[in-house]
Coordinates of all heavy atoms in Angstrom, one line a residue:
M1376 N 14.1 35.7 -150.5 CA 14.2 36.2 -151.9 C 12.9 35.6 -152.6 O 12.7 34.3 -152.5 CB 15.4 35.8 -152.6 CG 15.4 36.4 -154.0 SD 16.9 35.7 -154.9 CE 16.4 34.1 -155.3
S1377 N 12.2 36.4 -153.3 CA 11.1 35.9 -154.1 C 11.3 36.1 -155.6 O 11.6 37.2 -156.0 CB 9.8 36.5 -153.8 OG 9.4 36.1 -152.4
V1378 N 11.2 35.1 -156.4 CA 11.3 35.2 -157.8 C 9.9 35.2 -158.4 O 9.1 34.3 -158.1 CB 12.1 34.0 -158.5 CG1 12.1 34.2 -160.0 CG2 13.4 34.0 -157.9
L1379 N 9.6 36.4 -159.0 CA 8.1 36.5 -159.5 C 7.9 36.0 -160.8 O 6.9 35.6 -161.2 CB 7.8 38.0 -159.3 CG 7.8 38.6 -158.0 CD1 7.4 40.1 -158.0 CD2 6.9 37.8 -157.0
Q1380 N 9.0 36.1 -161.7 CA 8.8 35.8 -163.1 C 10.1 35.5 -163.8 O 11.1 36.2 -163.5 CB 8.2 37.1 -163.8 CG 7.5 36.9 -165.0 CD 6.8 38.1 -165.5 OE1 7.5 39.1 -165.8 NE2 5.5 38.1 -165.6
V1381 N 10.1 34.6 -164.6 CA 11.3 34.3 -165.4 C 10.9 34.1 -166.8 O 9.7 33.8 -167.1 CB 12.1 33.0 -165.0 CG1 12.7 33.2 -163.5 CG2 11.2 31.8 -165.0
E1382 N 11.9 34.2 -167.7 CA 11.6 34.0 -169.1 C 12.2 32.6 -169.5 O 13.3 32.3 -169.1 CB 12.3 35.0 -170.0 CG 11.4 36.1 -170.5 CD 12.3 37.0 -171.4 OE1 12.9 36.6 -172.4 OE2 12.3 38.2 -171.1
A1383 N 11.4 31.9 -170.3 CA 11.9 30.5 -170.7 C 12.0 30.5 -172.2 O 11.1 31.0 -172.9 CB 11.0 29.5 -170.2
A1384 N 13.1 30.1 -172.7 CA 13.2 29.9 -174.2 C 12.9 28.4 -174.4 O 13.5 27.5 -173.8 CB 14.6 30.2 -174.6
I1385 N 12.0 28.2 -175.3 CA 11.5 26.8 -175.6 C 11.8 26.4 -177.0 O 11.8 27.1 -177.9 CB 9.9 26.8 -175.5 CG1 9.4 27.5 -174.2 CG2 9.4 25.4 -175.5 CD1 9.6 26.9 -172.9
E1386 N 12.1 25.0 -177.1 CA 12.3 24.5 -178.4 C 11.0 23.7 -178.7 O 10.6 22.8 -178.0 CB 13.5 23.6 -178.4 CG 13.8 23.0 -179.8 CD 15.0 22.1 -179.9 OE1 14.9 20.9 -179.6 OE2 16.1 22.6 -180.2
C1387 N 10.3 24.1 -179.8 CA 9.1 23.5 -180.2 C 9.3 22.0 -180.4 O 10.3 21.6 -181.1 CB 8.6 24.1 -181.5 SG 7.1 23.3 -182.2
E1388 N 8.4 21.1 -179.8 CA 8.5 19.7 -180.0 C 7.9 19.2 -181.3 O 7.9 18.0 -181.5 CB 8.0 19.0 -178.7 CG 8.8 19.3 -177.5 CD 8.3 18.6 -176.2 OE1 7.4 19.2 -175.6 OE2 8.7 17.5 -175.9
G1389 N 7.4 20.2 -182.1 CA 6.9 19.8 -183.3 C 7.9 20.0 -184.5 O 8.3 19.1 -185.2
C1390 N 8.4 21.3 -184.5 CA 9.3 21.6 -185.6 C 10.7 22.1 -185.2 O 11.6 22.3 -186.0 CB 8.7 22.7 -186.5 SG 8.6 24.3 -185.6
G1391 N 10.9 22.3 -183.9 CA 12.3 22.6 -183.4 C 12.5 24.1 -183.4 O 13.6 24.5 -183.0
A1392 N 11.5 24.9 -183.8 CA 11.7 26.4 -183.7 C 11.7 26.8 -182.3 O 11.2 26.1 -181.4 CB 10.5 27.1 -184.4
H1393 N 12.4 28.0 -182.1 CA 12.5 28.5 -180.7 C 11.5 29.6 -180.5 O 11.2 30.3 -181.4 CB 13.9 29.1 -180.5 CG 15.0 28.1 -180.5 ND1 16.3 28.3 -180.2 CD2 14.9 26.7 -180.7 CE1 17.0 27.2 -180.3 NE2 16.2 26.2 -180.6
F1394 N 10.9 29.6 -179.3 CA 10.0 30.6 -178.9 C 10.1 30.9 -177.4 O 10.7 30.1 -176.7 CB 8.5 30.3 -179.3 CG 7.9 29.2 -178.7 CD1 7.0 29.2 -177.6 CD2 8.2 27.8 -179.1 CE1 6.5 28.1 -176.9 CE2 7.6 26.7 -178.6 CZ 6.8 26.9 -177.4
R1395 N 9.6 31.9 -176.9 CA 9.7 32.3 -175.5 C 8.4 32.5 -174.9 O 7.4 33.0 -175.5 CB 10.5 33.6 -175.4 CG 11.9 33.5 -175.8 CD 12.7 34.9 -175.9 NE 14.0 34.6 -176.1 CZ 15.0 34.5 -175.1 NH1 14.6 34.6 -173.9 NH2 16.2 34.3 -175.4
V1396 N 8.4 32.2 -173.6 CA 7.2 32.5 -172.7 C 7.7 33.1 -171.4 O 8.8 32.9 -171.0 CB 6.4 31.2 -172.4 CG1 5.8 30.6 -173.7 CG2 7.3 30.2 -171.7
K1397 N 6.8 33.8 -170.8 CA 7.1 34.3 -169.4 C 6.5 33.3 -168.5 O 5.4 32.8 -168.7 CB 6.3 35.7 -169.3 CG 7.2 36.8 -169.3 CD 6.5 38.1 -169.1 CE 7.5 39.3 -169.5 NZ 6.8 40.5 -169.7
V1398 N 7.3 33.0 -167.5 CA 6.9 32.0 -166.5 C 6.6 32.7 -165.2 O 7.5 33.3 -164.6 CB 7.9 30.9 -166.3 CG1 7.4 29.9 -165.3 CG2 8.2 30.2 -167.7
E1399 N 5.3 32.7 -164.7 CA 5.0 33.3 -163.4 C 5.5 32.3 -162.4 O 5.1 31.1 -162.3 CB 3.5 33.5 -163.3 CG 2.9 34.4 -164.4 CD 3.3 35.9 -164.3 OE1 3.8 36.2 -163.2 OE2 3.2 36.6 -165.3
T1400 N 6.2 32.8 -161.5 CA 6.7 31.9 -160.4 C 6.3 32.4 -159.0 O 6.8 31.8 -158.0 CB 8.3 31.8 -160.4 OG1 8.8 33.2 -160.4 CG2 8.8 31.2 -161.7
G1401 N 5.4 33.4 -159.0 CA 5.1 33.9 -157.6 C 4.0 33.1 -156.9 O 2.8 33.3 -157.2
G1402 N 4.3 32.2 -156.1 CA 3.3 31.8 -155.1 C 2.5 30.6 -155.4 O 2.4 29.7 -154.6
N1403 N 1.9 30.6 -156.6 CA 0.8 29.6 -156.8 C 1.3 28.3 -157.5 O 0.5 27.6 -158.2 CB -0.3 30.2 -157.7 CG -0.9 31.4 -157.0 OD1 -1.3 31.2 -155.8 ND2 -1.2 32.4 -157.7
I1404 N 2.5 27.9 -157.3 CA 3.0 26.7 -157.9 C 2.6 25.5 -157.0 O 2.9 25.5 -155.9 CB 4.5 26.8 -158.1 CG1 4.9 27.9 -159.1 CG2 5.0 25.4 -158.6 CD1 6.3 28.1 -159.2
P1405 N 1.9 24.5 -157.6 CA 1.4 23.4 -156.8 C 2.7 22.6 -156.2 O 3.7 22.5 -156.9 CB 0.7 22.5 -157.8 CG 0.3 23.5 -158.8 CD 1.4 24.5 -159.0
R1406 N 2.5 22.2 -155.1 CA 3.5 21.4 -154.4 C 3.9 20.2 -155.3 O 3.1 19.5 -155.7 CB 3.0 21.0 -153.0 CG 4.0 20.3 -152.2 CD 3.4 19.8 -150.9 NE 3.2 21.0 -150.0 CZ 4.1 21.4 -149.1 NH1 5.2 20.7 -148.9 NH2 3.8 22.4 -148.3
G1407 N 5.2 19.9 -155.4 CA 5.6 18.8 -156.1 C 6.0 19.0 -157.6 O 6.6 18.2 -158.3
W1408 N 5.6 20.2 -158.1 CA 6.0 20.6 -159.5 C 7.4 20.9 -159.6 O 8.0 21.6 -158.8 CB 5.2 21.8 -159.9 CG 3.8 21.5 -160.4 CD1 3.0 20.5 -160.0 CD2 3.0 22.3 -161.3 NE1 1.8 20.5 -160.6 CE2 1.8 21.7 -161.4 CE3 3.2 23.4 -162.1 CZ2 0.8 22.2 -162.2 CZ3 2.3 23.9 -162.9 CH2 1.0 23.3 -163.0
D1409 N 8.1 20.4 -160.7 CA 9.4 20.8 -160.9 C 9.4 21.9 -162.0 O 8.4 22.3 -162.5 CB 10.3 19.5 -161.4 CG 9.8 18.9 -162.7 OD1 9.1 19.6 -163.5 OD2 10.2 17.7 -162.9
M1410 N 10.7 22.3 -162.4 CA 10.8 23.3 -163.4 C 10.0 23.1 -164.7 O 9.4 24.0 -165.3 CB 12.3 23.5 -163.7 CG 12.6 24.7 -164.4 SD 12.1 26.2 -163.6 CE 13.0 27.4 -164.5
M1411 N 10.1 21.9 -165.2 CA 9.5 21.5 -166.4 C 8.0 21.6 -166.3 O 7.3 22.1 -167.3 CB 9.8 20.1 -166.9 CG 11.2 20.0 -167.5 SD 11.6 21.1 -168.8 CE 10.4 20.6 -170.0
D1412 N 7.4 21.3 -165.2 CA 5.9 21.4 -165.0 C 5.6 22.8 -165.1 O 4.5 23.2 -165.7 CB 5.5 20.8 -163.6 CG 5.7 19.3 -163.6 OD1 5.5 18.6 -164.6 OD2 6.1 18.8 -162.5
V1413 N 6.4 23.7 -164.4 CA 6.0 25.1 -164.4 C 6.1 25.8 -165.8 O 5.2 26.5 -166.2 CB 7.0 25.9 -163.3 CG1 6.7 27.3 -163.4 CG2 6.8 25.3 -162.0
V1414 N 7.2 25.4 -166.5 CA 7.4 25.9 -167.8 C 6.3 25.4 -168.7 O 5.7 26.2 -169.6 CB 8.7 25.5 -168.4 CG1 8.9 25.9 -169.9 CG2 9.9 26.2 -167.6
K1415 N 6.0 24.1 -168.7 CA 5.0 23.6 -169.6 C 3.6 24.3 -169.3 O 2.8 24.6 -170.2 CB 4.8 22.1 -169.3 CG 4.0 21.4 -170.4 CD 4.1 19.8 -170.3 CE 5.3 19.4 -171.0 NZ 5.3 17.9 -171.1
N1416 N 3.3 24.6 -168.0 CA 2.1 25.2 -167.7 C 2.0 26.7 -168.3 O 1.0 27.1 -168.8 CB 1.9 25.3 -166.2 CG 0.5 25.8 -165.8 OD1 -0.4 25.2 -166.1 ND2 0.5 26.8 -165.0
A1417 N 3.2 27.3 -168.4 CA 3.3 28.6 -169.0 C 3.0 28.5 -170.5 O 2.4 29.4 -171.1 CB 4.6 29.2 -168.7
V1418 N 3.6 27.5 -171.1 CA 3.3 27.2 -172.5 C 1.9 27.0 -172.8 O 1.3 27.5 -173.7 CB 4.2 26.1 -173.1 CG1 3.9 25.8 -174.5 CG2 5.7 26.4 -172.9
R1419 N 1.2 26.2 -171.9 CA -0.1 25.9 -172.1 C -1.0 27.2 -172.0 O -2.0 27.3 -172.6 CB -0.6 24.9 -170.9 CG -2.0 24.4 -171.1 CD -2.3 23.4 -170.0 NE -1.6 22.1 -170.2 CZ -0.8 21.6 -169.5 NH1 -0.4 22.1 -168.3 NH2 -0.2 20.4 -169.8
G1420 N -0.5 28.2 -171.2 CA -1.2 29.5 -171.1 C -1.3 30.2 -172.4 O -2.2 31.0 -172.6
G1421 N -0.3 30.0 -173.3 CA -0.5 30.4 -174.6 C 0.1 31.7 -175.1 O 0.0 32.1 -176.2
H1422 N 0.6 32.5 -174.1 CA 1.2 33.8 -174.5 C 2.7 33.7 -174.7 O 3.4 33.6 -173.7 CB 0.9 34.8 -173.4 CG -0.6 35.0 -173.1 ND1 -1.3 35.7 -174.0 CD2 -1.4 34.6 -172.2 CE1 -2.6 35.8 -173.7 NE2 -2.7 35.1 -172.5
T1423 N 3.1 33.8 -175.9 CA 4.5 34.0 -176.2 C 4.9 35.4 -176.0 O 4.1 36.3 -176.0 CB 4.7 33.6 -177.7 OG1 3.9 34.4 -178.5 CG2 4.4 32.1 -178.0
I1424 N 6.2 35.6 -175.9 CA 6.8 36.9 -175.9 C 7.9 37.1 -176.9 O 8.5 36.1 -177.4 CB 7.4 37.2 -174.4 CG1 8.4 36.2 -174.1 CG2 6.3 37.3 -173.4 CD1 9.1 36.5 -172.8
T1425 N 8.0 38.3 -177.3 CA 9.0 38.6 -178.3 C 10.4 38.6 -177.7 O 10.5 38.6 -176.4 CB 8.8 40.0 -178.9 OG1 9.0 41.0 -177.9 CG2 7.4 40.2 -179.5
P1426 N 11.5 38.6 -178.5 CA 12.8 38.7 -177.9 C 13.0 39.9 -177.0 O 13.9 40.0 -176.1 CB 13.7 38.8 -179.1 CG 13.0 38.1 -180.1 CD 11.6 38.4 -179.9
K1427 N 12.2 41.0 -177.2 CA 12.3 42.2 -176.3 C 11.5 42.1 -175.1 O 11.4 43.0 -174.3 CB 11.8 43.4 -177.1 CG 12.8 43.8 -178.2 CD 12.4 45.1 -179.0 CE 13.4 45.5 -180.0 NZ 12.9 46.6 -180.8
G1428 N 10.8 40.9 -174.9 CA 10.1 40.7 -173.7 C 8.6 41.1 -173.7 O 7.9 41.1 -172.7
Q1429 N 8.1 41.6 -174.9 CA 6.8 42.0 -175.0 C 5.9 40.8 -175.1 O 6.1 39.9 -175.9 CB 6.5 42.9 -176.2 CG 7.2 44.3 -175.9 CD 7.4 45.1 -177.1 OE1 7.7 44.6 -178.2 NE2 6.9 46.3 -177.1
V1430 N 4.7 40.8 -174.5 CA 3.7 39.7 -174.6 C 3.0 39.9 -175.9 O 2.5 40.9 -176.2 CB 2.7 39.7 -173.4 CG1 1.7 38.6 -173.6 CG2 3.5 39.5 -172.1
V1431 N 2.9 38.8 -176.6 CA 2.3 38.7 -178.0 C 0.9 38.3 -177.8 O 0.5 37.4 -176.9 CB 3.0 37.9 -178.9 CG1 2.3 37.8 -180.3 CG2 4.5 38.3 -179.1
D1432 N -0.1 38.8 -178.6 CA -1.5 38.4 -178.4 C -1.8 37.0 -178.9 O -0.9 36.3 -179.3 CB -2.4 39.4 -179.1 CG -2.3 39.4 -180.6 OD1 -1.8 38.4 -181.1 OD2 -2.7 40.4 -181.3
L1433 N -3.0 36.7 -178.9 CA -3.4 35.2 -179.2 C -3.0 34.8 -180.6 O -3.0 33.6 -180.8 CB -4.9 35.1 -178.9 CG -5.3 35.0 -177.4 CD1 -6.8 35.0 -177.3 CD2 -4.6 33.8 -176.7
A1434 N -2.8 35.7 -181.5 CA -2.4 35.3 -182.9 C -1.2 34.5 -182.9 O -0.9 33.7 -183.7 CB -2.4 36.6 -183.8
A1435 N -0.4 34.8 -181.8 CA 0.9 34.0 -181.8 C 0.9 33.1 -180.6 O 2.0 32.9 -179.9 CB 2.1 35.0 -181.6
S1436 N -0.2 32.5 -180.3 CA -0.3 31.6 -179.1 C 0.4 30.3 -179.3 O 0.2 29.6 -180.3 CB -1.7 31.5 -178.6 OG -2.5 30.9 -179.5
C1437 N 1.1 29.8 -178.3 CA 1.7 28.6 -178.3 C 0.7 27.6 -177.5 O -0.3 28.1 -177.0 CB 3.0 28.6 -177.6 SG 3.0 29.4 -176.0
S1438 N 1.0 26.3 -177.4 CA 0.1 25.4 -176.7 C 0.9 24.2 -176.3 O 2.0 23.9 -176.7 CB -1.1 25.0 -177.6 OG -0.6 24.3 -178.7
V1439 N 0.2 23.3 -175.5 CA 0.7 22.0 -175.2 C -0.4 21.0 -175.7 O -1.6 21.1 -175.3 CB 0.9 21.8 -173.7 CG1 1.3 20.4 -173.4 CG2 2.0 22.7 -173.1
Q1440 N 0.0 20.2 -176.6 CA -1.0 19.2 -177.2 C -0.3 17.8 -177.3 O 0.9 17.7 -177.7 CB -1.4 19.7 -178.6 CG -1.9 21.1 -178.6 CD -2.8 21.4 -179.7 OE1 -3.6 20.6 -180.3 NE2 -2.7 22.6 -180.2
D1441 N -1.0 16.8 -176.8 CA -0.4 15.5 -176.7 C 0.9 15.5 -175.9 O 1.8 14.9 -176.1 CB -0.1 14.9 -178.1 CG -1.4 14.6 -178.8 OD1 -2.4 14.3 -178.2 OD2 -1.4 14.6 -180.0
D1442 N 0.9 16.4 -174.9 CA 2.0 16.5 -173.9 C 3.3 17.1 -174.6 O 4.3 17.0 -174.1 CB 2.3 15.2 -173.2 CG 2.9 15.5 -171.8 OD1 2.4 16.3 -171.2 OD2 3.8 14.7 -171.5
K1443 N 3.1 17.7 -175.8 CA 4.2 18.3 -176.4 C 4.0 19.9 -176.4 O 2.9 20.4 -176.6 CB 4.3 17.9 -177.9 CG 4.7 16.4 -178.0 CD 4.8 16.1 -179.5 CE 5.2 14.6 -179.7 NZ 4.9 14.2 -181.1
M1444 N 5.2 20.5 -176.2 CA 5.1 22.0 -176.3 C 5.3 22.5 -177.7 O 6.2 22.1 -178.4 CB 6.2 22.6 -175.4 CG 6.0 22.2 -173.9 SD 7.1 23.1 -172.8 CE 8.7 22.2 -173.1
L1445 N 4.3 23.2 -178.2 CA 4.3 23.6 -179.6 C 4.4 25.1 -179.8 O 3.7 25.8 -179.1 CB 3.0 23.1 -180.3 CG 2.8 21.6 -180.3 CD1 1.4 21.2 -180.9 CD2 3.9 20.8 -180.9
C1446 N 5.1 25.5 -180.8 CA 5.3 26.9 -181.2 C 3.9 27.4 -181.8 O 3.1 26.6 -182.1 CB 6.4 27.1 -182.1 SG 6.1 26.5 -183.8
P1447 N 3.8 28.7 -182.0 CA 2.5 29.2 -182.6 C 2.3 28.6 -183.9 O 1.1 28.3 -184.2 CB 2.9 30.7 -182.7 CG 3.8 31.0 -181.6 CD 4.6 29.8 -181.5
K1448 N 3.3 28.4 -184.8 CA 3.0 27.8 -186.1 C 2.4 26.4 -185.9 O 1.4 26.1 -186.6 CB 4.3 27.8 -186.9 CG 4.1 27.2 -188.3 CD 5.4 27.4 -189.2 CE 6.4 26.3 -188.9 NZ 6.1 25.0 -189.5
C1449 N 3.0 25.5 -185.1 CA 2.6 24.2 -185.0 C 1.2 24.2 -184.3 O 0.4 23.3 -184.5 CB 3.6 23.4 -184.2 SG 5.1 23.1 -185.2
T1450 N 1.0 25.1 -183.4 CA -0.3 25.2 -182.7 C -1.4 25.5 -183.8 O -2.4 24.8 -183.7 CB -0.3 26.3 -181.7 OG1 0.7 26.0 -180.6 CG2 -1.6 26.5 -181.0
R1451 N -1.2 26.4 -184.7 CA -2.1 26.7 -185.7 C -2.4 25.5 -186.6 O -3.5 25.2 -186.9 CB -1.7 27.9 -186.5 CG -1.9 29.2 -185.9 CD -1.8 30.4 -186.9 NE -0.6 30.4 -187.5 CZ 0.5 31.1 -187.0 NH1 0.4 31.7 -185.8 NH2 1.6 31.1 -187.6
E1452 N -1.3 24.8 -187.0 CA -1.4 23.7 -187.8 C -2.2 22.5 -187.1 O -3.1 21.9 -187.7 CB -0.1 23.2 -188.3 CG 0.6 24.1 -189.3 CD 2.0 23.7 -189.6 OE1 2.5 22.7 -189.0 OE2 2.6 24.4 -190.4
T1453 N -1.9 22.3 -185.9 CA -2.6 21.3 -185.1 C -4.0 21.6 -184.9 O -4.9 20.8 -185.0 CB -1.9 21.0 -183.7 OG1 -0.5 20.7 -184.0 CG2 -2.5 19.9 -183.0
D1454 N -4.3 22.9 -184.6 CA -5.7 23.3 -184.4 C -6.5 23.1 -185.7 O -7.6 22.7 -185.8 CB -5.8 24.7 -184.0 CG -5.3 24.9 -182.5 OD1 -5.3 24.0 -181.8 OD2 -5.1 26.1 -182.1
A1455 N -5.8 23.4 -186.9 CA -6.5 23.3 -188.1 C -6.8 21.8 -188.4 O -7.9 21.5 -188.9 CB -5.7 23.9 -189.2
E1456 N -5.9 20.9 -188.1 CA -6.1 19.5 -188.3 C -7.2 19.0 -187.5 O -8.1 18.3 -188.0 CB -4.8 18.7 -188.0 CG -3.8 18.8 -189.1 CD -2.5 18.1 -188.6 OE1 -2.5 17.4 -187.6 OE2 -1.4 18.4 -189.2
N1457 N -7.2 19.4 -186.3 CA -8.3 19.0 -185.4 C -9.6 19.5 -185.8 O -10.7 18.8 -185.7 CB -8.0 19.5 -183.9 CG -6.9 18.7 -183.3 OD1 -6.4 17.7 -183.8 ND2 -6.3 19.2 -182.2
T1458 N -9.7 20.7 -186.3 CA -11.0 21.3 -186.8 C -11.5 20.5 -188.0 O -12.7 20.2 -188.1 CB -10.8 22.8 -187.1 OG1 -10.3 23.4 -186.1 CG2 -12.1 23.3 -187.6
E1459 N -10.6 20.1 -188.9 CA -11.0 19.3 -190.1 C -11.6 18.0 -189.7 O -12.5 17.5 -190.2 CB -9.7 19.2 -191.0 CG -9.5 20.4 -191.8 CD -8.1 20.3 -192.5 OE1 -7.6 19.2 -192.6 OE2 -7.6 21.3 -192.9
E1460 N -10.9 17.4 -188.6 CA -11.4 16.1 -188.2 C -12.8 16.2 -187.6 O -13.6 15.3 -187.7 CB -10.4 15.5 -187.2 CG -9.2 14.9 -187.9 CD -8.1 14.5 -186.8 OE1 -8.4 14.5 -185.6 OE2 -6.9 14.3 -187.2
D1461 N -13.0 17.3 -186.8 CA -14.2 17.5 -186.1 C -15.4 17.8 -187.2 O -16.5 17.3 -187.0 CB -14.2 18.6 -185.1 CG -13.2 18.2 -183.9 OD1 -13.0 17.0 -183.8 OD2 -12.8 19.0 -183.2
E1462 N -15.0 18.6 -188.1 CA -16.1 19.1 -189.1 C -15.8 18.6 -190.5 O -15.0 19.2 -191.2 CB -16.2 20.5 -189.0 CG -16.5 21.1 -187.6 CD -16.4 22.6 -187.6 OE1 -16.7 23.2 -188.6 OE2 -15.9 23.1 -186.5
D1463 N -16.4 17.5 -190.9 CA -16.1 16.9 -192.2 C -16.6 17.9 -193.4 O -16.0 18.0 -194.4 CB -16.7 15.6 -192.4 CG -16.0 14.5 -191.5 OD1 -14.8 14.7 -191.3 OD2 -16.7 13.6 -191.1
E1464 N -17.7 18.5 -193.1 CA -18.3 19.4 -194.1 C -18.5 20.7 -193.6 O -19.1 21.0 -192.5 CB -19.6 18.8 -194.6 CG -19.4 17.5 -195.4 CD -20.8 17.0 -195.8 OE1 -21.7 17.8 -196.0 OE2 -21.0 15.7 -196.0
Q1465 N -18.0 21.7 -194.3 CA -18.2 23.1 -194.0 C -18.9 23.8 -195.1 O -18.6 23.6 -196.3 CB -16.9 23.8 -193.7 CG -16.4 23.5 -192.2 CD -15.2 24.3 -191.9 OE1 -14.3 24.6 -192.7 NE2 -15.1 24.7 -190.6
D1466 N -19.8 24.7 -194.7 CA -20.6 25.4 -195.8 C -19.8 26.4 -196.6 O -19.8 26.4 -197.8 CB -21.8 26.1 -195.1 CG -22.8 25.1 -194.6 OD1 -22.8 24.0 -195.1 OD2 -23.5 25.4 -193.6
S1467 N -19.1 27.2 -195.9 CA -18.4 28.3 -196.7 C -17.2 27.8 -197.3 O -16.3 27.6 -197.5 CB -18.0 29.4 -195.7 OG -17.2 28.9 -194.7
Ligands
ZN971 ZN1 6.8 24.3 -184.1

């Protein structure tokens, strides 16, 4: 039996919100990875899915930052903070 894909429901480690990702399980999983490694890798991939299973575009992308799995909202907030730190002055 081959399992090609599973859906994972994730609790954001920033705010506790729930979001979903599709986890590809077909073939390319590095030896030694456990379930959490595979799921975290899927979250790092950034594509959330709706409750109906549709893949959402990058506007709703999740991420892994500081080893925490973050929902789209926390991803945007963290990205914004990082951008502010990197660029002290912006023209526009
Ligand atoms: Zn969150």
Side-chain angles (χ1 to χ4, degrees):
M1376 184 184 77
S1377 290
V1378 178
L1379 299 179
Q1380 198 174 66
V1381 296
E1382 256 183 58
I1385 314 289
E1386 186 178 84
C1387 172
E1388 292 179 273
C1390 70
H1393 292 183
F1394 62 100
R1395 289 173 173 269
V1396 295
K1397 256 179 195 166
V1398 182
E1399 304 288 344
T1400 54
N1403 294 320
I1404 297 171
R1406 185 181 285 270
W1408 277 27
D1409 65 16
M1410 188 64 165
M1411 283 306 297
D1412 293 323
V1413 176
V1414 169
K1415 191 171 276 187
N1416 192 54
V1418 174
R1419 188 176 287 118
H1422 295 288
T1423 58
I1424 54 176
T1425 67
K1427 288 180 179 173
Q1429 291 165 311
V1430 177
V1431 178
D1432 68 19
L1433 285 174
S1436 62
C1437 51
S1438 67
V1439 176
Q1440 306 200 36
D1441 290 334
D1442 211 37
K1443 290 179 182 168
M1444 297 190 286
L1445 299 178
C1446 71
K1448 181 171 81 74
C1449 291
T1450 295
R1451 280 196 300 275
E1452 288 173 0
T1453 304
D1454 286 347
E1456 283 173 15
N1457 290 343
T1458 302
E1459 282 168 17
E1460 284 170 12
D1461 290 344
E1462 302 171 32
D1463 288 330
E1464 292 178 24
Q1465 278 187 325
D1466 292 334
S1467 58

